[in-house]
Amino acid sequence: RRSLHREVAGMLGSMAVAKAQRASRSDPEARRDQMIDVALVAFADRGYPGVELKEIASEVGVTPNLIHHYFPGGKSELHLEAVKRACAQLAEIHDSSAEATVGDKMPTNISRYLDEALVPTDRWKLYTRSLRSADDDLRAYAIATRQAVVEGMALNHLGIANPPPAVRALFFGLFGFLEDAAEEWRIESIGDREKLENLIMTVILAGLAATAAE
């Protein structure tokens, strides 16, 4: 399963973020991208059971048959592509570049993901639902998103993308903590975002210190 996650993570890293534009009939790839963009919003808003292909077709300006042409698996395939795009976009948020210090990147990265989680955005909804999905394919893309963030955290804090298993497990859990804490913060309408950001940074630093002390 880990090899699948790595394969999916590689695919996520190579995907470009699509721009939501109405495609012309002469550009099949742009039209396909538009179908995925529209589907991403629809599935996030109404959930898988609440979306019909004819609604996606109507907004894009095509027939349902054309959607089946691009996505032979129909609704389930289009949903999977929407989840893949949502996860790819979230994976690309994390800054692990060498241009800034860890002290700058950590609060920036935390803030970026809280921008997603506290709304929550459409792509965040698809990501978190897929993370808890019984569908192995959907869950694999969501877990791969976490893995991509873990690799970025490891690069920032340790200078390596593949840390020891115990450290990888720590980072994996820390990002899960951010997800769950942000969700509770939003549900309870706590509102003090700065307090949440400081709490998450404190937990991350404490976890790193505990791991280093072993």
Side-chain angles (χ1 to χ4, degrees):
R1 182 171 295 179
R2 175 159 292 181
S3 63
L4 172 61
H5 293 160
R6 288 175 179 170
E7 178 182 349
V8 174
M11 293 173 62
L12 291 175
S14 65
M15 290 176 62
V17 179
K19 302 297 183 180
Q21 298 176 338
R22 183 163 294 274
S24 67
R25 294 186 183 274
S26 61
D27 192 342
E29 191 61 31
R31 186 174 292 283
R32 183 181 186 278
D33 278 345
Q34 188 190 7
M35 291 176 185
I36 297 173
D37 285 336
V38 171
L40 192 159
V41 174
F43 285 122
D45 181 48
R46 300 190 292 281
Y48 185 83
V51 175
E52 296 184 16
L53 285 184
K54 64 181 181 181
E55 299 168 337
I56 307 295
S58 176
E59 183 162 349
V60 178
V62 299
T63 65
N65 285 339
L66 189 59
I67 292 184
H68 279 283
H69 170 75
Y70 284 100
F71 306 97
K75 180 178 171 180
S76 62
E77 183 177 348
L78 181 57
H79 180 237
L80 179 61
E81 291 298 321
V83 168
K84 286 167 60 177
R85 176 156 298 175
C87 288
Q89 292 174 356
L90 287 174
E92 290 173 355
I93 287 176
H94 197 275
D95 179 12
S96 55
S97 64
E99 282 75 25
T101 65
V102 175
D104 290 331
K105 285 185 287 189
M106 182 169 68
T108 297
N109 285 328
I110 290 172
S111 180
R112 287 176 178 177
Y113 282 109
L114 289 182
D115 284 343
E116 301 289 327
L118 291 175
V119 175
T121 63
D122 292 330
R123 56 194 181 186
W124 188 264
K125 289 178 184 177
L126 288 188
Y127 159 67
T128 53
R129 289 175 194 164
S130 298
L131 194 62
R132 296 164 176 81
S133 174
D135 185 299
D136 288 341
D137 291 334
L138 294 176
R139 194 169 61 255
Y141 280 102
I143 293 174
T145 301
R146 267 199 192 179
Q147 296 284 15
V149 175
V150 164
E151 291 179 3
M153 294 173 71
L155 277 172
N156 286 342
H157 292 279
L158 306 175
I160 55 174
N162 295 304
V167 179
R168 177 177 288 275
L170 168 68
F171 283 147
F172 201 86
L174 288 173
F175 193 64
F177 171 73
L178 180 151
E179 295 169 3
D180 292 340
E183 182 176 6
E184 192 67 15
W185 222 260
R186 177 178 56 81
I187 291 172
E188 296 297 331
S189 302
I190 295 174
D192 189 344
R193 174 166 169 159
E194 183 178 358
K195 183 176 182 179
L196 176 59
E197 291 181 354
N198 289 335
L199 173 63
I200 292 170
M201 281 190 284
T202 299
V203 170
I204 291 175
L205 293 173
L208 285 167
T211 303
E214 293 182 354

